[in-house]
Amino acid sequence: MTAPSNPALLITGARPYGEQPQDLLIAEGRIAAVGPEASSHAEQLRAQGTQVETLEAEGQIALPGLVDLHTHLREPGREDAETVATGSRAAALGGFTAVHAMANSSPVADTAGVVEQVHRLGLDAGYTEVYPVGAVTVGLAGEQLAELGAMAESSAQVRMFSDDGHCVHNPVLMRRALEYVKTFDGFIAQHAQEPALTGWGTETPAQMNEGCVSAELGLPGWPAVAEEAIIARDVLLAQHVGSRLHVCHVSTRGSVEIIRWAKERGIDVTAEVTPHHLILTDELVRSYDPVYKVNPPLRTEADVHALREGLADGTIDVIGTDHAPHPTEAKECEWSQAAMGMTGLETALSVVQMTMVETGLIDWRRVAEITSAKPAEIYRHTHQGRPLAAGEAANLILVDPAARRTVDPLQHASKGRNSPFRGMELPGEVRATVLNGRAVVREGALV
C-alpha cells in the first residue's frame, strides 16, 4: 500500500513495549527517529517547511499495529451484518493495522474475482489493511479444491486459505490443499471440527461444550475430541507433505498438548486462540443467552488455564479475534436457533491485558509478539508487525493501560452488537492508531 502524503507526527513520552519513555518521529510513512534525536529531527523538518503535528502520549504504551489473522467482515453478501468499511473502522479502533477477512461471505471468496473485490473494498475504506482469505474448497463444501493458484496470483496476493466455519474433513482433500499451497509459500488455516462427532448436518447439531453443564441443561454436547482429532490428523499430514498448517481458534487443553507435541517434533504448525476463550467458560451457557453461543464453544475453567499457559509459553503463537458480527435478530432468539459467533475487534487487546498481562503471565513486549509480530510473520508481511525502530514502516498504536471502560456494544463501530463483554469493565484503551504514517485514530476516536 502506498503511504499517503501526511504531516509528520511527533509522539512524545510514549513507552515502547511498556518500557522507558521515548519520543518517536513519523514522517513519509515511516518511523524517522526514536529517542532524543526525534525532537531535534522534528525541528529540522519544521525549519524546512514541513508540517509537524505533536501527539502527547505520556503514560501510554507504544506497540506495533495489531495484526488479526481471523476476522469476518461479511461483505460481499451479508452487509446487514458487517461491511468491509464498518469492520475496518472497528479494527482501527481496536488497534489493528491489518486484518485478514475470512472466506465465508456470499458469494464465498473462492475465486480471484471475489478476493480482489474484498481487497479493493479494504483499500477504499482506508482504516486498516484488509487481506482476503481464500476458501480451500469451492463454496466451502469440502468436495473440490477452489482456485488456490488463481487467488494467489491475483492482485490480492492471497497466501492464507481456510474454510473457516467448516472443517476440511476429507483427509485426501486436506493433503492436496497442503501440497498445493507449498508452491507459493501459502498455508492452510484449519477450522478443526470433526463433523460426525458434532452432529454437523443433522437435526441435532452440538450446541455447546460436552460436559457437566451440557448434561444438566440437556443440550447436545460438542466433545473436545472433535477438535483434537482433526488437529492430530492435520499436524501429521503437514509433516508428511512438509507444508505449513495454522490451527484456528484452539479451545481445549488437549489441543494445546497436541500442538506442543507437534512443535517438539519440528512440524511446521502455528496456532491461535481467541480472546473470549481466554476468559469465558461454559458455565455462562446456563443463562441461555445466545451471545455466548460460539464455534468452537466456550469450554471449562481447566481449558481456559491451559490456553493461557500455552499462549504464555509459545505453544500457541497468536491471538485471533474470530470477530463474527451478526444482525440482532440472529442472536436475540432461542438458543437452538441462534447463530454462532461473537464480535471482538474492539475489545481484543483489553482482554489480553486483563487475562495475560495483569495476571503476570506475559509482559507488553510479549503482547507485541502474539498480536503483531508473529501473525505478520506467519502471513509473510514485510511492513506489518515490525519493531518500533527508525526506518520501519509506521504502523503502530498507543495504548492507555490505566484506562477502564464499561463495554457498550451500541457504541462500537462494528455493526455487530453481539459482544460477550457487554456491561463488563475492561482495562486499557487504544488512544491512537497509525496506519502507514497516517493517524486513523486519535484520542480514542476515528479521524
Side-chain angles (χ1 to χ4, degrees):
M1 177 180 288
T2 301
S5 177
N6 292 292
L9 184 63
L10 177 64
I11 300 173
T12 61
R15 298 162 52 211
Y17 308 102
E19 298 166 0
Q20 293 301 311
Q22 301 270 13
D23 294 344
L24 297 94
L25 178 67
I26 294 169
E28 299 181 347
R30 294 197 169 273
I31 300 174
V34 177
E37 59 269 32
S39 294
S40 58
H41 194 165
E43 288 306 313
Q44 293 175 8
L45 290 178
R46 288 191 178 102
Q48 296 167 2
T50 301
Q51 183 183 358
V52 181
E53 297 179 350
T54 299
L55 204 164
E56 296 178 356
E58 283 74 14
Q60 298 176 24
I61 294 172
L63 296 174
L66 311 188
V67 177
D68 188 11
L69 291 177
H70 195 147
T71 309
H72 295 274
L73 295 180
R74 304 305 192 197
E75 192 175 9
R78 290 307 308 269
E79 290 82 358
D80 57 328
E82 191 78 288
T83 67
V84 172
T86 58
S88 294
R89 295 185 190 114
L93 286 168
F96 292 90
T97 52
V99 299
H100 297 74
M102 281 295 175
N104 59 341
S105 52
S106 180
V108 170
D110 57 5
T111 65
V114 177
V115 296
E116 287 182 341
Q117 178 187 3
V118 174
H119 190 230
R120 171 52 54 187
L121 288 168
L123 291 172
D124 292 343
Y127 283 97
T128 190
E129 293 187 348
V130 175
Y131 297 92
V133 177
V136 178
T137 67
V138 176
L140 309 177
E143 297 176 352
Q144 178 185 351
L145 284 185
E147 300 173 1
L148 308 184
M151 288 187 276
E153 294 173 1
S154 73
S155 61
Q157 296 283 293
V158 176
R159 290 295 178 271
M160 176 178 176
F161 298 87
S162 179
D163 276 3
D164 184 56
H166 301 262
C167 179
V168 183
H169 60 87
N170 182 322
V172 176
L173 206 58
M174 185 64 178
R175 172 182 174 171
R176 288 175 180 165
L178 287 165
E179 289 174 329
Y180 200 108
V181 298
K182 281 178 62 179
T183 60
F184 46 80
D185 195 26
F187 63 101
I188 301 296
Q190 176 68 292
H191 174 112
Q193 178 191 347
E194 168 51 58
L197 289 171
T198 52
W200 220 238
T202 72
E203 294 182 354
T204 56
Q207 296 288 310
M208 65 170 296
N209 179 53
E210 181 180 279
C212 296
V213 180
S214 67
E216 292 177 26
L217 299 180
L219 291 173
W222 188 306
V225 70
E227 176 176 305
E228 295 157 5
I230 292 295
I231 296 174
R233 182 202 73 178
D234 285 353
V235 295
L236 292 175
L237 284 173
Q239 180 186 39
H240 183 65
V241 304
S243 189
R244 293 202 288 146
L245 170 72
H246 180 72
V247 184
C248 296
H249 40 50
V250 173
S251 72
T252 78
R253 178 172 53 181
S255 295
V256 176
E257 293 170 353
I258 293 167
I259 294 164
R260 185 176 290 123
W261 172 87
K263 288 191 169 186
E264 288 172 353
R265 289 172 64 94
I267 299 173
D268 199 353
V269 56
T270 55
E272 68 186 33
V273 62
T274 72
H276 49 267
H277 283 107
L278 289 174
I279 188 171
L280 307 177
T281 73
D282 60 354
E283 289 290 336
L284 291 163
V285 182
R286 293 184 187 280
S287 67
Y288 284 106
D289 185 341
V291 78
Y292 300 118
K293 187 174 180 180
V294 66
N295 180 351
L298 301 178
R299 303 291 188 178
T300 68
E301 193 72 31
D303 293 306
V304 168
H305 284 298
L307 293 168
R308 291 185 185 185
E309 291 171 2
L311 186 60
D313 70 19
T315 302
I316 297 176
D317 302 84
V318 302
I319 295 290
T321 69
D322 196 8
H323 173 78
H326 289 290
T328 301
E329 61 271 21
K331 293 297 276 186
E332 294 187 359
C333 54
E334 290 185 10
W335 177 278
S336 62
Q337 301 302 314
M340 293 182 172
M342 303 169 167
T343 59
L345 285 173
E346 290 165 82
T347 52
L349 189 58
S350 291
V351 176
V352 171
Q353 180 179 335
M354 172 182 277
T355 59
M356 301 298 294
V357 178
E358 295 187 350
T359 56
L361 288 170
I362 62 175
D363 59 16
W364 285 101
R365 190 168 282 274
R366 175 71 178 142
V367 170
E369 292 174 1
I370 63 176
T371 61
S372 183
K374 189 64 180 181
E377 177 187 323
I378 292 171
Y379 198 87
R380 307 296 199 229
H381 289 300
T382 58
H383 65 292
Q384 294 282 353
R386 300 296 302 162
L388 298 176
E392 298 287 357
N395 293 306
L396 57 91
I397 63 173
L398 299 172
V399 183
D400 179 1
R404 292 290 185 275
R405 55 177 174 148
T406 300
V407 177
D408 178 4
L410 293 177
Q411 303 302 315
H412 286 175
S414 170
K415 285 189 174 184
R417 301 291 177 251
N418 49 305
S419 169
F421 306 112
R422 65 187 180 198
M424 183 183 294
E425 185 180 85
L426 293 179
E429 180 182 18
V430 175
R431 300 297 295 163
T433 299
V434 177
L435 174 66
N436 291 314
R438 179 173 63 97
V440 294
V441 172
R442 294 184 73 155
E443 302 300 325
L446 294 167
V447 176

